[in-house]
Amino acid sequence: MAQKRKKSNPDKFNYSKNDSFENLQVVQEMALNRKGKDDEINPDISVFLKAEELKGKLCGLYSDKDNSASNINLMGSVIIDGKELNVKLGDDVTLDRRDD
């Protein structure tokens, strides 16, 4: 017997960062307004903090990788009083270095 394939709804997969952020805000409000015994407000701080962490990750505040790029300034030759000066700092990476 042939199996029926479910038709996928394209709107079902339209989920944005804003949608997720708004849902996490709702979760935080629920966590802060949670009622315990005798209808006393008993906030669930761990749920609140987890939602806060997820909101931060969603906004790119926390990163596992270090994305800082090192800037390297390269200076070409300089002409002073008609004389060309080539400033050389460090090793030339184009040289073929062989240990003999």
Side-chain angles (χ1 to χ4, degrees):
M1 183 177 273
Q3 293 182 353
K4 294 182 182 179
R5 293 186 180 188
K6 293 183 179 180
K7 294 181 182 178
S8 63
N9 185 358
D11 293 334
K12 181 179 178 182
F13 299 107
N14 289 338
Y15 191 72
S16 67
K17 286 183 179 181
N18 288 338
D19 294 336
S20 180
F21 195 87
E22 289 173 9
N23 288 339
L24 289 169
Q25 282 184 305
V26 169
V27 168
Q28 282 185 310
E29 290 174 17
M30 290 171 59
L32 288 178
N33 297 323
R34 188 185 88 167
K35 293 186 178 181
K37 295 179 182 176
D38 301 327
D39 288 334
E40 294 177 13
I41 293 180
N42 186 15
D44 191 345
I45 301 300
S46 63
V47 171
F48 177 85
L49 290 175
K50 183 62 181 179
E52 188 69 21
E53 178 185 358
L54 291 173
K55 283 170 46 180
K57 285 182 180 180
L58 188 63
C59 293
L61 296 177
Y62 309 113
S63 177
D64 293 340
K65 297 178 183 175
D66 186 18
N67 293 334
S68 63
S70 299
N71 292 332
I72 299 173
N73 294 327
L74 298 177
M75 186 172 141
S77 62
V78 178
I79 299 175
I80 300 177
D81 292 331
K83 293 182 182 179
E84 184 177 3
L85 302 174
N86 289 317
V87 180
K88 294 184 180 181
L89 298 174
D91 292 333
D92 188 358
V93 295
T94 60
L95 293 177
D96 185 19
R97 301 179 89 186
R98 294 183 188 173
D99 293 329
D100 291 317

